[in-house]
Amino acid sequence: MHTSAARFAERVGDEYGFEAAIEEFLEGTKTAADAAEAVGCSIAQIVKSLVFAADGEVIVMLTVGHNCVDTDGLASELGVDTVRTADPREVKEATGWSIGGVPPFGHESSVPTYLDESLLAHDRIWAAAGTPDAVFALTPDALCRIADPEPVEAFVPA
């Protein structure tokens, strides 16, 4: 197992008592479509953990694989002036993970997390496990219990 995926599994086990059954794919799961194809699910069952800066504060947005974030709508909903994509340094510093492998929880610091509620429509969803090649399955209930995300409406189909 890749060291980052193993670190993720250990961290969430220790912090949340969650046993992440990680699956790694040599061909990669760099996009939501790649991940869905690799695990044999719909793209709507893929959790994208997107990292943004809202007036400079790093936040994580959890959305289904085929949605994008409406940054102007999100800024309005959060009551901030600007929302922009976080740069790689900000992502790594705040979450402890690199872009493409950011899981929905188990971050290096306490990062405000927001949720696209359409993820709740499935019995099983899949998320990154610390690398662009590793994913794990979980239920929406587990996602909400562990990540404790705040629902928002700032998502649009890609």
Side-chain angles (χ1 to χ4, degrees), residues 1-135:
M1 180 180 302
H2 189 280
T3 56
S4 289
R7 181 168 54 94
F8 169 74
E10 183 177 345
R11 175 175 282 171
V12 299
D14 291 347
E15 289 182 22
Y16 308 107
F18 180 81
E19 187 175 327
I22 296 173
E23 295 186 39
E24 294 180 290
F25 298 93
L26 295 178
E27 64 276 9
T29 55
K30 290 176 178 58
T31 68
D34 292 342
E37 185 175 327
V39 300
C41 70
S42 81
I43 197 166
Q45 291 174 270
I46 299 299
V47 179
K48 290 194 306 190
S49 299
L50 305 174
V51 185
F52 293 91
D55 281 355
E57 178 185 17
V58 174
I59 62 173
V60 174
M61 305 298 300
L62 306 176
T63 186
V64 297
H66 57 74
N67 278 354
C68 294
V69 175
D70 171 6
T71 55
D72 291 335
L74 181 60
S76 177
E77 195 165 339
L78 297 180
V80 299
D81 292 327
T82 62
V83 172
R84 64 170 172 77
T85 302
D87 68 43
R89 180 194 55 76
E90 291 171 312
V91 172
K92 182 77 168 183
E93 189 176 283
T95 69
W97 312 103
S98 296
I99 293 172
V102 176
F105 48 79
H107 302 140
E108 193 66 32
S109 62
S110 179
V111 181
T113 303
Y114 298 90
L115 176 72
D116 173 353
E117 290 186 292
S118 59
L119 281 168
L120 305 179
H122 307 281
D123 293 334
R124 182 180 202 167
I125 52 180
W126 296 81
T131 77
D133 304 330
V135 295

